[in-house]
Amino acid sequence: MELQDLILIAATYLGLLSLCKALINFLIWVWAMFFRPSKNLKEYGSWAMITGSTDGIGKALAFELGSKGLNLLLVGRSPSKLEATSKEIHQKYGGKVETKSIVIDFAKSSGEEICKMIEGGIRGLDVGVLINNAGMAYPHVMYFHEVGLEMMESLVKVNIDGATWVTRAVLPGMLKKKKGAILNIGSASSMASYPLGVVYGATKAYLAMFSRCIGLEYRQQGIDIQCQIPLYVATKMIRGLKASRILVPSPEKYSKASLRWIGYEHICIPYWIHSVQWFVMHGLPEALLDWCIFEYSLSVRKRILNKMKRVKQ
């Protein structure tokens, strides 16, 4: 057999292996996205705690968890919003779901204060699921030097300190019973460049790394820790985007997909069209992807600045 034939055979086998690998990965994706059974969240414990639970994804997750029969510990900074959300939950589920509230402003609280308030709030409760959803973003896209000092500090305290210290307060109880699930809501901004939103993207990257590492630390203790990566969801944080049937899900649609993934991979993109979008983006050359994101951010900035000028006039 000549060298040319050997090279052709080797190339054919490599191509076949590559095709088989791609097919297997696709089948695994289809299974996980549409057919894999969700975990019984009540097996982790009878209570679920959600931070940032009065708006957007957090509120939708609270209602979805309530539909699973879990009691809800709602965490937020506004007493009136927490009370209103609790009333809505009771109206929908009646006496089937019990609710409690903890009022905390992560931007104005130290780590020690957060720990003490959470420890006091969960005392005597079987908290099996923790969802760190509270988050803060820029009011609009801006260059790093334009971010005010107070805003920069608040971004770090809410997005990083809040999730870290709440996890620190809840974890001992889960370790004691050797079971629990912790879900940190990340962002696609942590998986690619995020110009004109640098601090926000960096704080979300921390959550992804935090989740991956702490998940490895406590996997053997029966505690499932995960970071979910949503792309655009129609919330107040993403101004100007309305929910669509596919590309931009409502918080309610996203929350249904979100709960199906709790207890599985450390890092995941639970909504199927987001996963497809990321696959396409990830297939682009890095330089091209960076250019596209930057140009899009600049166009959004220009549109916002023009709108602000019109308002002033």
Side-chain angles (χ1 to χ4, degrees):
M1 189 177 289
E2 295 182 4
L3 180 60
Q4 244 181 342
D5 295 330
L6 288 173
I7 293 173
L8 183 60
I9 292 170
T12 302
Y13 275 112
L14 286 172
L16 183 60
L17 286 172
S18 180
L19 181 63
C20 288
K21 181 181 177 183
L23 179 60
I24 290 169
N25 287 337
F26 174 72
L27 292 174
I28 290 172
W29 178 83
V30 170
W31 161 253
M33 198 61 68
F34 302 108
F35 299 106
R36 184 172 64 184
S38 56
K39 302 246 176 152
N40 181 1
L41 300 182
K42 291 186 75 173
E43 290 183 356
Y44 290 115
S46 57
W47 284 81
M49 182 163 75
I50 311 101
T51 69
S53 56
T54 57
D55 287 299
I57 293 173
K59 185 175 181 179
L61 283 169
F63 275 84
E64 196 63 26
L65 287 163
S67 73
K68 306 296 183 186
L70 284 145
N71 298 315
L72 304 171
L73 183 54
L74 309 175
V75 181
R77 63 178 180 174
S78 170
S80 59
K81 281 189 174 184
L82 285 168
E83 185 179 354
T85 302
S86 293
K87 284 182 179 178
E88 287 181 49
I89 290 168
H90 285 301
Q91 286 172 0
K92 185 163 185 176
Y93 300 114
K96 295 179 182 179
V97 176
E98 188 178 348
T99 63
K100 292 182 181 294
S101 299
I102 302 176
V103 181
I104 303 179
D105 187 344
F106 292 134
K108 297 178 181 177
S109 304
S110 67
E112 185 178 357
E113 288 170 338
I114 292 170
C115 258
K116 285 182 178 179
M117 293 179 76
I118 295 297
E119 287 169 352
I122 65 175
R123 190 170 292 119
L125 303 180
D126 179 21
V127 177
V129 177
L130 164 63
I131 299 181
N132 285 310
N133 167 75
M136 177 182 176
Y138 289 11
H140 57 81
V141 291
M142 60 180 73
Y143 285 94
F144 178 71
H145 72 275
E146 296 173 331
V147 183
L149 297 180
E150 185 177 346
M151 183 190 299
M152 192 177 295
E153 185 176 9
S154 294
L155 281 161
V156 173
K157 287 178 72 66
V158 173
N159 295 353
I160 292 179
D161 291 0
T164 304
W165 287 105
V166 170
T167 300
R168 178 64 180 81
V170 172
L171 199 55
M174 293 181 174
L175 283 171
K176 190 173 181 180
K177 60 183 183 178
K178 293 194 178 299
K179 59 181 177 179
I182 299 173
L183 167 58
N184 298 315
I185 301 296
S187 166
S189 62
S190 67
M191 299 175 71
S193 58
Y194 200 62
L196 306 186
V198 173
V199 181
Y200 175 77
T203 59
K204 290 299 184 177
Y206 167 87
L207 278 184
M209 179 60 75
F210 175 68
S211 303
R212 183 186 294 275
C213 296
I214 199 173
L216 290 171
E217 287 186 20
Y218 294 104
R219 176 190 288 169
Q220 302 303 320
Q221 305 297 321
I223 302 172
D224 298 319
I225 301 175
Q226 181 184 80
C227 181
Q228 290 187 1
I229 309 293
L231 274 70
Y232 285 133
V233 178
T235 66
K236 290 180 180 179
M237 192 177 287
I238 309 298
R239 296 170 179 83
L241 279 181
K242 295 181 179 179
S244 69
R245 290 185 177 180
I246 298 179
L247 293 179
V248 184
S250 65
E252 291 73 24
K253 275 188 178 180
Y254 180 83
S255 68
K256 289 180 184 297
S258 172
L259 293 195
R260 289 188 62 251
W261 283 74
I262 291 178
Y264 290 106
E265 293 81 359
H266 290 315
I267 309 288
C268 67
I269 303 177
Y271 191 66
W272 75 272
I273 196 63
H274 287 173
S275 183
V276 173
Q277 286 174 286
W278 176 247
F279 176 78
V280 173
M281 291 169 62
H282 192 63
L284 297 174
E286 187 174 329
L288 177 59
L289 180 59
D290 287 347
W291 180 84
C292 290
I293 293 172
F294 190 43
E295 287 300 314
Y296 174 75
S297 299
L298 287 174
S299 69
V300 171
R301 174 183 169 82
K302 184 178 180 180
R303 193 162 62 245
I304 290 172
L305 291 178
N306 287 336
K307 185 177 180 179
M308 291 170 68
K309 284 179 183 178
R310 288 196 299 270
V311 171
K312 286 181 180 179
Q313 291 172 355

